[in-house]
Amino acid sequence: MASIWAELRRRNVVKVAVAYAIVGWLLVEVASVVLPTFKAPEWIMQVFTFLVIVGFPLALIFAWAFELTPEGIKREKDVDRSQSITHLTGRKIDFMIIGIMAVAITYFLVEKFVWVDEEPPTGVAVSEDRKSIAVLPFTDRSAAEEDAAFFAAGIHDDLLTQLGKISALKVISRTSVMQYKDTQKSIPQIARELGVATVLEGGVQRAGDRIRINMQLIDAVTDKHLWAETYDRDLSVTSIFDIQSDIAHAVSRALQASLTSDEEQRLASLPTNSLAAYDAYSRGKLMLPDRTTAALKQAEDSFREAIALDSDYAEAYVGLANTLSLQVDYSGRQVDNYLAEAGPIIEKALVLDSLLGEAHIAEAQWFRSNGDIALSTERFAKGVSLSPGYAPGHQWYGNILVQTGRLDEGVAELRIAHELDPQSGIITSNLAENLQLAGQADEGWRLCHELIAQRPAYARGHHCLRTLARGEGKIVDAIGHNRRALELDPGNPGFYMFHGFILNELGLYEESLAWFTAQPATIKRNADFHAGLGTVYYYQGQHEKALAAAREALETDPRSSPALSLLAALDLNDERNLGALEALSSVYVGLTGPAPEVEAFIAEHAMLLSALLAQAGRTEQAERIATAAVKSLRHIHVWSPIYIAQALTILGREPEAVDTLRRAISTESLFRPRWNVLVSPIFETIRGKKEYQDIFDALESHLAQQRELYLASELGR
């Protein structure tokens, strides 16, 4: 044995082993840092490590069998022992080992004390700002015929939903992380852009009746792994949701984010037993963020398919209800149609799962559309408490808080939504538009322009710019932004209506009439189309045609806002009972009660209803609404002063009304001054006074200036 060891030392086999071990370890350590920087696949690191390991015995065999001589490398048995220089080669290897050891020690010290891992040891509390996570789009590792790219996207979206149920975590929404699919950006850079401390990434492989999901949680500061796991299961809905629940629990443990008992219960729940229903639901959910007419129709079909496959799938009912609601705003679905169909759908979802926050939020949307603001606000609060990571919930809750005068609270909710989904176009535009109302227009403009830079083909981004321009009285700019939005989403009736109404405001009645009559048949079926056409006739003094158009609009949609306004204006102007009082009273039941509440978004109709009540001799009711408006509308909305002036006129406080009007137009922020001021029958009692005439002249001058700018622009040619 001693002779063998002596021979190993003579042939430098021991020194080669030591040198190889040190060099191999150092190469593996360096590769583990360098390869992820270049987004190299995991298998490259695995192959590299395997080759280093395999090379070790080969190096030893080579050192035993061969010797380095002055004439080159020879087989050891062919070298005369008296001529051997292994002792000199050994000294060179000694120096090489010392040099390599110095490099290795330096690397170890730098990693240990310079590249400090900021993750605290087990048992030390993690700071709140570290309990934030972005889940990057999953890598699809399945065969193309499996259609697994879509399947992987559905799994990814559902995992985000699961993590979003944990109130202690800040989870970035899917819309914002999708831009990092196949990105070359580093984990720290992605985390900085999304404002998170950790990043979860992984891959999905679906093969026949098996599914494999591998996950890894990465500290964004050190770019090191906090946790990793691979799940290999039989393919079923149960296994998919078990894996997602396991991942959610593992992430919460790694970040020391505690779960409440309700959250534990929600994570453990199984939404459906049907894999086909799950696939259909996933397809529908992934279509919702686009908000285009075509995407919403596809989403509706997918959710209906999911419900047909599993009639107890609560999330599918919520998805369908949300789709129907969005179609009111983006695809021309009538409100009454939505209310009639969505009501039972939402009720079914709540019966199936009373702890589903998204169901309470869908119910809140339904109450809002039905005019019950108090119940809507209550349901929103409950919904976001149950699903704190659901960004649209905070978005819609914020919007209704703003509309009811709770401006600071509303903007705060919208900021939460934006933090959860910073790349969402609709959330960004909602926040920007409401920041203008809060007196922070500069930030609003910045957000809108950033949105357009990121997504130039996104119609809602141009709508965002349109809204801000409209709010500042820049009518020509607003028309241009609206025209671009219309080009990008030609199925959106709101974009058509805006252009027609703005032409009316500029006094271009013939152009407006031509615009409305030239619209496609799908738009002409919309109630607001008939109301817009009727408004042209009203401005031209053709009241019978205007009345026919208003009635046709209300037959299509009894809640059409412009149609109700038109009918009320005709009723007040002609002083005859056209049914406007009854129509408005049925829509806004609470306004005729003993304690009316006048929110900014119903202010126009509230003032028309008050004037109609006064005309009908119901003075006490009329004054209650007007008094409530004066009290509640102050400092809520840039356009609120106009409605306060109307309320003051109804109350007979004419000097205050004129003074309020004068202050209102000095801001040049009015969108519909012709409708709400110049031709409004509410101001009939002060119309002949000199003070009012000054306001009339100022507004006409402003509109004339905007009209000339429009006609001189390419848009007006």
Side-chain angles (χ1 to χ4, degrees), residues 210 416 491 499:
R210 298 288 293 177
I416 292 173
H499 189 72

Side-chain angles (χ1 to χ4, degrees), residues 355-377:
L355 293 178
L356 185 58
E358 289 86 343
H360 290 279
I361 290 167
E363 186 182 34
Q365 286 284 76
W366 189 90
F367 279 123
R368 178 188 178 278
S369 296
N370 201 36
D372 196 330
I373 304 305
L375 269 178
S376 177
T377 305

Side-chain angles (χ1 to χ4, degrees), residues 377-389:
T377 305
E378 176 188 307
R379 295 298 192 276
F380 271 126
K382 183 171 184 178
V384 297
S385 69
L386 290 170
S387 296

Side-chain angles (χ1 to χ4, degrees), residues 6-13 60-69 72-86:
E7 188 63 16
L8 288 172
R9 293 183 63 186
R10 189 190 73 78
R11 299 190 186 191
N12 293 317
V13 174
L60 299 186
I61 293 171
F62 186 88
W64 173 267
F66 294 90
E67 183 177 328
L68 182 65
T69 71
I73 297 175
K74 295 183 178 181
R75 289 190 302 175
E76 194 278 335
K77 66 180 182 179
D78 296 334
V79 178
D80 187 344
R81 290 289 179 93
S82 64
Q83 302 298 318
S84 175
I85 60 170
T86 54

Side-chain angles (χ1 to χ4, degrees), residues 682-699:
I682 294 177
F683 289 127
E684 193 60 38
T685 58
I686 61 174
R687 197 175 302 281
K689 301 185 186 308
K690 181 181 183 304
E691 297 86 351
Y692 180 86
Q693 191 60 43
D694 291 341
I695 296 170
F696 182 96
D697 292 342
L699 282 178

Side-chain angles (χ1 to χ4, degrees), residues 473 475 502-509 539 661 665-666 668 670 672-680 687 691-709:
I475 304 302
I502 207 74
L503 291 175
N504 276 338
E505 287 300 293
L506 294 176
L508 299 170
Y509 306 132
Y539 282 137
L661 271 178
I665 67 166
S666 66
E668 294 190 352
L670 298 175
R672 299 183 67 190
R674 187 176 302 282
W675 179 258
N676 288 320
V677 180
L678 299 181
V679 301
S680 173
R687 197 175 302 281
E691 297 86 351
Y692 180 86
Q693 191 60 43
D694 291 341
I695 296 170
F696 182 96
D697 292 342
L699 282 178
E700 283 289 17
S701 175
H702 173 68
L703 290 174
Q705 180 186 34
Q706 293 292 322
R707 181 168 58 249
E708 292 305 315
L709 288 172

Side-chain angles (χ1 to χ4, degrees), residues 186-202:
S186 67
I187 293 296
Q189 183 179 355
I190 293 171
R192 283 194 300 272
E193 292 178 2
L194 293 176
V196 296
T198 58
V199 172
L200 186 67
E201 61 179 1

